[in-house]
Amino acid sequence: MRRNIGTGGPWEGVVGYSRAVRVGDTVHVAGTTAIREGRVVAPGDAYTQAKVALEIVVEALAECGASPSDVVRTRMFVTDIRDWESVGRAHGEVFADVRPAATMVQVTALIDPDLLVEIEAEAVVGSGTPGVTPP
């Protein structure tokens, strides 16, 4: 019942992790950064990095048979908490109608000094209810 999803990222094999893991109806998406084709996207731009990280999260969810509406929890790690509004805006563009439980914290550093944000997500496949307005 376990399905591991990889992206071929440079750290997956070294560290020994998957981009996402689905067990039953639960999907866990690992901390995701704005790296495409082995390069950091938009150094210095937390909003764009958050958007790209979220695009990768959504792609991983889709590979696991989930969608953003199934997300029940996100965690956002930023290297400068002053970027909260930019990162929050990108998160809201994906999850405004879903309203998962979410956490944002400042961390000292990420794996590459050009990275400003890392985002992880948890989903329960089929839990999204179209047409239900969050409180």
Side-chain angles (χ1 to χ4, degrees), residues 11-73:
W11 297 295
E12 288 177 10
V14 174
V15 177
Y17 77 96
S18 298
R19 168 64 41 225
V21 176
R22 178 175 175 167
V23 177
D25 290 336
T26 303
V27 178
H28 301 274
V29 181
T32 303
T33 59
I35 294 183
R36 293 277 195 194
E37 299 176 11
R39 300 176 56 106
V40 175
V41 176
D45 182 346
Y47 171 76
T48 300
Q49 285 193 12
K51 290 280 290 183
V52 171
L54 288 162
E55 288 169 4
I56 297 168
V57 165
V58 169
E59 291 165 7
L61 289 167
E63 282 195 59
C64 290
S67 72
S69 68
D70 295 318
V71 172
V72 296
R73 177 87 163 119

Side-chain angles (χ1 to χ4, degrees), residues 66-124:
S67 72
S69 68
D70 295 318
V71 172
V72 296
R73 177 87 163 119
T74 60
R75 292 178 186 88
M76 296 162 275
F77 306 94
V78 296
T79 58
D80 187 339
I81 200 64
R82 292 174 292 189
D83 289 329
W84 76 268
E85 197 167 3
S86 297
V87 173
R89 181 167 41 104
H91 184 274
E93 289 170 3
V94 176
F95 297 114
D97 293 332
V98 180
R99 306 269 300 268
T103 299
M104 183 186 303
V105 296
Q106 179 174 310
V107 296
T108 303
L110 296 173
I111 200 161
D112 184 298
D114 285 332
L115 290 169
L116 304 175
V117 61
E118 183 167 326
I119 301 171
E120 60 183 43
E122 297 170 13
V124 178

